[in-house]
Amino acid sequence: MNDKISSEPNCADPTDPASISVAEALERIEQRVLPVHACERLPIRECLGRVNNEAVKSPHSVPPLPNSAMDGFAVAIDSLQKDGITELDEVGAAYAGNPFAGSCASGQCVRIMTGALIPEGTDAVIMQEQAEIGDNGKIRVDADHRVGENIRQAGEDVKQNEMVIEAGVRLSPADLGVLASLGIGQLQVKRKPVVAFFSTGDELVPVGEPLEPGKIYDSNRYSLHGMLSRLSVDIIDLGVVRDDLDSMCEVLTRASAQADLIISTGGVSVGEADFIKPALTELGTTEFWKIAIKPGRPLTFGQIGASVFMGLPGNPVAVMVTFSQFVLPAIEVLSGARMRRPSLFRAQAMEAMRKIPGRTEFQRGIASLDENNRWQVVKTGKQGSGILTSMSRANCFIVLPDDNAGVEAGDEVSIQLFDWSH
Ligand code: AMP
Ligand code: MG
């Protein structure tokens, strides 16, 4: 008889042949999640953070007509002397919103303010700091000027019919300004996805109730609430669900009637109290993914009716890691936006970091800029997947790829700065 117990692949193993990579999990999410279909037309102020549904082409040029970029004098360049000083008669003034009505002849100039239309007969604006008023009241300018000087040409920002905002773009404050500059007051955007979430676990007690032995407070629903609230989604908090199959099936059925995406935490392992898998098998289609990451290896992905289901692990840090790496991209696709991968920056590790090859690790770090404006990073102490303060103290993930076998102080590592709203 063997004197050792052979174990199945488990969370403590550095490698597990059945695990898929982060990149593969993202590819599957991109393939399987479908964007919401419905759209709504909204005033542009309400479109911030929403996903544009129809490409916007500009109905006219911006600026519509040439105007001055400076306060100064509008002149015709070929009416200036080739060398030396020219004296010009000031024949009027042009203000932003109040053009000069006449036309400017040779030997004349028009006083002009920033934003005012370029008067007829002129082709340059000489800024007031480069002109003098002579004793005779004439405007004196030198020969050192060229056609088009200090003029904002029509269409130099946007040309008529030019594509300005493509479909699938999440609208930024600058986009709202660009739309307004085109006179577009309303836009068709995708409706917000509805995201329902719940915690599972007989040990969980909601905040506000006393803690009996063996119980812990439910923290996952609060970190999830925080991460989801920053997004352009409607959220439904379904509370804590007990560890039994009936309760699990009941809440999943209710959630799938209301939500485009259902997120649960806990109950996705292979313990006797882990009911997410059996519930999903009963109600929908399911894929159980083991992803080669730490923390957060087990993740359930599936479909219940028209809803996407993502069953995250229970450990509080694993919840936040899997949310940031997989749920956020899934929400992007669901919202009708292009899936974005988180940006990585290079940083110098200020301390050694232990790591066994086999999985991508998301250690929690504090990144700062050194005196040369280069990123440097330290860990936030203990890195267990239950140590949630390692997240709250951090401002970045230190991403150590599958094949990394540990880091020495001074080595270069990749960091992902936290930005829960993308
Ligand atoms: P599970 O995957 O359900 O076995 O959970 C793994 C670990 O995470 C256990 O120690 C749980 O007590 C803990 N955990 C699960 N859900 C939560 C939660 N909502 N808040 C805090 N800890 C949790
Ligand atoms: Mg549990």
Side-chain angles (χ1 to χ4, degrees), residues 283-348:
L283 298 173
T285 53
T286 169
E287 281 186 58
F288 180 64
W289 293 352
K290 281 193 248 173
I291 306 176
I293 60 170
K294 185 181 175 189
R297 176 145 58 184
L299 192 118
T300 307
F301 180 84
Q303 187 91 25
I304 306 173
S307 318
V308 175
F309 174 79
M310 295 181 95
L312 310 186
N315 277 308
V317 179
V319 167
M320 298 194 78
V321 169
T322 49
F323 185 95
S324 69
Q325 305 305 311
F326 306 111
V327 179
L328 272 184
I331 290 176
E332 282 300 276
V333 180
L334 195 61
S335 306
R338 283 177 224 115
M339 191 163 96
R340 291 195 299 160
R341 267 74 176 174
S343 308
L344 292 172
F345 298 88
R346 291 202 299 238
Q348 190 180 38

Side-chain angles (χ1 to χ4, degrees), residues 198-205 214 216-223 240 243 265-271 273-274 298 312-317 319 385-386 388:
F198 60 91
S199 299
T200 70
D202 284 345
E203 74 278 35
L204 302 178
V205 174
I216 57 168
Y217 286 118
D218 171 13
S219 59
N220 288 344
R221 246 173 350 111
Y222 293 84
S223 46
V240 177
D243 286 322
T265 66
V268 285
S269 308
V270 288
D274 293 327
L312 310 186
N315 277 308
V317 179
V319 167
S385 67
L388 193 48

Side-chain angles (χ1 to χ4, degrees), residues 115-417:
L117 288 189
I118 301 301
E120 208 180 301
T122 69
D123 56 15
V125 171
I126 297 173
M127 63 169 146
Q128 63 189 23
E129 293 82 350
Q130 294 176 351
E132 287 170 4
I133 304 177
D135 295 336
N136 56 2
K138 297 210 178 216
I139 306 302
R140 293 163 49 83
V141 298
D142 64 22
D144 200 11
H145 300 285
R146 53 174 182 82
V147 171
E149 183 169 316
N150 297 318
I151 292 181
R152 301 169 180 153
Q153 296 301 340
E156 75 173 24
D157 186 355
V158 181
K159 293 195 179 42
Q160 187 174 21
N161 244 344
E162 186 180 325
M163 164 80 74
V164 237
I165 305 175
E166 291 185 30
V169 166
R170 201 176 276 289
L171 295 152
S172 69
D175 292 329
L176 302 195
V178 168
L179 289 165
S181 79
L182 299 173
I184 296 174
Q186 293 191 334
L187 199 64
Q188 196 185 73
V189 292
K190 291 275 190 199
R191 75 163 169 82
K192 285 186 192 176
V194 180
V195 181
F197 60 104
F198 60 91
S199 299
T200 70
D202 284 345
E203 74 278 35
L204 302 178
V205 174
V207 177
E209 285 184 17
L211 209 55
E212 277 157 24
K215 305 276 183 182
I216 57 168
Y217 286 118
D218 171 13
S219 59
N220 288 344
R221 246 173 350 111
Y222 293 84
S223 46
L224 275 180
H225 173 91
M227 292 186 288
L228 286 165
S229 297
R230 295 227 173 135
L231 308 179
S232 202
V233 296
D234 287 327
I235 58 180
I236 304 175
D237 182 346
L238 295 170
V240 177
V241 180
R242 296 296 152 210
D243 286 322
D244 69 72
L245 187 57
D246 287 348
S247 312
M248 218 64 89
C249 287
E250 187 276 322
V251 73
L252 285 172
T253 307
R254 198 150 41 93
S256 70
Q258 307 174 73
D260 302 296
L261 172 66
I262 307 165
I263 304 169
S264 68
T265 66
V268 285
S269 308
V270 288
E272 280 172 24
D274 293 327
F275 288 104
I276 286 291
K277 258 170 92 178
L280 213 50
T281 309
E282 201 162 310
L283 298 173
T285 53
T286 169
E287 281 186 58
F288 180 64
W289 293 352
K290 281 193 248 173
I291 306 176
I293 60 170
K294 185 181 175 189
R297 176 145 58 184
L299 192 118
T300 307
F301 180 84
Q303 187 91 25
I304 306 173
S307 318
V308 175
F309 174 79
M310 295 181 95
L312 310 186
N315 277 308
V317 179
V319 167
M320 298 194 78
V321 169
T322 49
F323 185 95
S324 69
Q325 305 305 311
F326 306 111
V327 179
L328 272 184
I331 290 176
E332 282 300 276
V333 180
L334 195 61
S335 306
R338 283 177 224 115
M339 191 163 96
R340 291 195 299 160
R341 267 74 176 174
S343 308
L344 292 172
F345 298 88
R346 291 202 299 238
Q348 190 180 38
M350 302 306 282
E351 60 182 319
M353 297 172 193
R354 286 188 47 206
K355 155 104 170 44
I356 303 169
R359 317 190 229 176
T360 301
E361 277 193 28
F362 294 86
Q363 303 208 1
R364 277 72 68 202
I366 301 169
S368 56
L369 290 168
D370 69 12
E371 66 277 8
N372 296 315
N373 271 339
R374 283 192 288 254
W375 287 109
Q376 55 185 23
V377 68
V378 292
K379 291 193 297 182
T380 54
K382 285 203 201 96
Q383 295 289 312
S385 67
I387 299 178
L388 193 48
T389 49
S390 72
M391 280 297 303
S392 64
R393 294 197 183 109
N395 64 3
C396 69
F397 288 124
I398 305 164
V399 186
L400 304 177
D402 293 13
D403 56 2
N404 180 286
V407 169
E408 300 297 332
D411 283 358
E412 190 174 83
V413 291
S414 296
I415 57 169
Q416 238 178 52
L417 293 172

